[in-house]
């Protein structure tokens, strides 16, 4: 049990809304860094105060490279959020990361470019470097693992999340390179979100669902890899939604 916990849930392609969230307020909040992605909904899940927003906006119109991560995370800080669970749909690179596997990653490699990625760029105060050896909060990640256990989900931990720029998916050669680098899964949104959370001293963990084999990893990988089906991705995302909600509910109970 932790004291004064306020949990934020960041939805993405997965988790466009949370049915179990009993809404208390919905706010549109301005920041010095521009417009955040969406309204912020405050409510309760299982007695715990929770803030929810979707990083892609209400009608999923903001592409991963256009998300104003800096404004979004600043709002969470203004709302006194202490813990953040980021939901992401990802591609599977290494063998265990098969479609419909749940993953609680523990490392990140950032391949993004041109995204606003720090609050330390105003030049009017001393630059604060952050330690980022472990980009995800271990205790919060462990709670996600407990929640996955409670739902008897098939899951993996110890996974490196490679963050690409998007919105296109990767080439086969890019995925091969990412695998050589040590990436297990690939997605487009964990950075700079995770780094902003660390700069603002909020605990951040990610729950990922593998919704496709990454480029070149499906079918016969050596002779005839299959191309990626967007319909299959959509289907898996909709299959994963209910379980995502249950996991969130279980984590809320663990944090109360
Ligand atoms: N690549 C990048 N991001 C993704 C993928 C992928 O294959 N699947 C879901 N998000």
């Amino acid at each position: 049990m932790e004291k004064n916990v306020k949990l934020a849930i960041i939805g993405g392609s997965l988790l466009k809304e949370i049915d179990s969230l009993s809404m208390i307020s919905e706010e549109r909040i301005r920041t010095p860094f521009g417009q955040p992605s969406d309204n912020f909904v405050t409510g309760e899940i299982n007695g715990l105060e929770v803030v929810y927003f979707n990083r892609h906006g209400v009608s999923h119109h903001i592409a991963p490279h256009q998300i104003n991560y800096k404004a979004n995370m600043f709002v969470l800080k203004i709302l006194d959020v202490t813990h953040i669970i980021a939901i992401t749909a990802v591609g599977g690179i290494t063998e265990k990361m098969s479609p419909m596997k749940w993953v609680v990653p523990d490392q990140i490699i950032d391949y993004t470019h041109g995204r606003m990625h720090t609050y330390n760029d105003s030049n009017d105060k001393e630059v604060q470097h952050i330690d980022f050896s472990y980009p995800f909060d271990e205790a919060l990640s462990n709670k996600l693992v407990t929640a996955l256990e409670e739902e008897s989900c098939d899951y993996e931990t110890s996974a490196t999340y490679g963050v690409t720029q998007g919105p296109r998916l990767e080439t086969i050669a890019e995925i091969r390179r990412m695998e050589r680098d040590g990436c297990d899964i690939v997605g487009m949104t964990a950075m700079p979100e995770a780094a902003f959370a660390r700069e603002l001293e909020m605990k951040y963990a990610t729950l990922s669902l593998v919704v496709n084999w990454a480029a070149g990893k499906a079918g016969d990988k050596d002779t005839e890899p299959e191309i990626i089906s967007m319909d299959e991705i959509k289907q898996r995302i909709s299959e994963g939604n209910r379980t995502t909600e249950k996991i969130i509910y279980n984590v809320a109970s663990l944090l109360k």
Side-chain angles (χ1 to χ4, degrees):
M1 295 239 181
E2 299 187 46
K3 277 196 181 140
N4 300 325
V5 171
K6 190 164 180 182
L7 176 67
I9 308 293
I10 306 180
S13 315
L14 254 173
L15 203 66
K16 297 214 171 77
E17 57 198 5
I18 309 182
D19 287 340
S20 58
L21 182 72
S22 54
M23 209 221 282
I24 296 168
S25 67
E26 182 168 354
E27 295 168 275
R28 184 166 202 80
I29 300 174
R30 287 179 182 279
T31 83
F33 311 111
Q35 194 74 18
S37 298
D38 206 346
N39 290 352
F40 286 71
V41 176
T42 300
E44 270 186 13
I45 296 179
N46 201 7
L48 182 76
E49 197 174 11
V50 173
V51 175
Y52 169 82
F53 77 97
N54 193 296
R55 60 168 85 78
H56 296 296
V58 255
S59 46
H60 204 91
H61 57 288
I62 309 172
H65 68 292
Q66 291 177 317
I67 293 169
N68 191 342
Y69 299 93
K70 194 169 182 174
N72 290 343
M73 301 308 275
F74 192 75
V75 170
L76 296 186
K77 191 67 187 177
I78 292 174
L79 294 175
D80 291 325
V81 163
T82 54
H83 294 64
I84 301 167
I85 292 177
I87 310 294
T88 65
V90 296
I93 299 178
T94 46
E95 211 157 330
K96 287 180 179 167
M97 306 295 159
S98 48
M100 295 316 286
K101 187 75 76 99
W102 297 90
V103 186
V104 182
D106 65 345
Q107 280 296 330
I108 288 178
I109 299 179
D110 186 5
Y111 299 90
T112 66
H113 48 87
R115 300 184 181 189
M116 279 194 294
H117 65 284
T118 181
Y119 296 104
N120 278 284
D121 53 2
S122 61
N123 298 341
D124 60 0
K125 54 182 187 332
E126 195 186 337
V127 175
Q128 300 296 317
H129 298 283
I130 51 161
D131 170 66
F132 206 44
S133 311
Y134 298 98
F136 300 107
D137 183 77
E138 198 186 342
L140 189 56
S141 296
N142 286 342
K143 292 203 165 54
L144 277 171
V145 172
T146 306
L148 285 160
E149 283 278 349
E150 282 170 4
E151 289 305 316
S152 308
C153 291
D154 195 9
Y155 67 88
E156 297 292 333
T157 56
S158 295
T160 296
Y161 181 137
V163 195
T164 55
Q165 180 74 349
R168 66 166 177 84
L169 301 189
E170 299 70 34
T171 65
I172 292 177
E174 284 169 337
I175 292 297
R176 282 198 200 117
R177 181 182 76 154
M178 291 178 75
E179 186 166 19
R180 285 195 300 275
D181 284 352
C183 296
D184 297 292
I185 52 176
V186 53
M188 301 174 189
T189 53
M191 286 296 283
E193 210 170 72
F196 281 131
R198 182 62 53 83
E199 283 191 354
L200 295 173
E201 297 179 350
M202 295 181 286
K203 295 181 168 143
Y204 180 95
T206 290
L207 174 67
S208 299
L209 176 65
V210 180
V211 293
N212 59 287
W213 280 114
K217 293 293 176 183
D220 184 333
K221 290 168 211 137
D222 299 318
T223 54
E224 219 176 322
E226 282 166 18
I227 64 165
I228 298 169
S229 155
M230 300 308 145
D231 286 341
E232 269 179 25
I233 290 183
K234 280 190 191 140
Q235 176 62 33
R236 290 184 182 128
I237 284 174
S238 78
E239 274 172 40
N241 266 319
R242 269 183 68 80
T243 311
T244 312
E245 281 227 23
K246 285 191 193 148
I247 295 163
I248 302 288
Y249 189 87
N250 294 355
V251 172
S253 323
L254 295 168
L255 281 169
K256 268 199 307 193

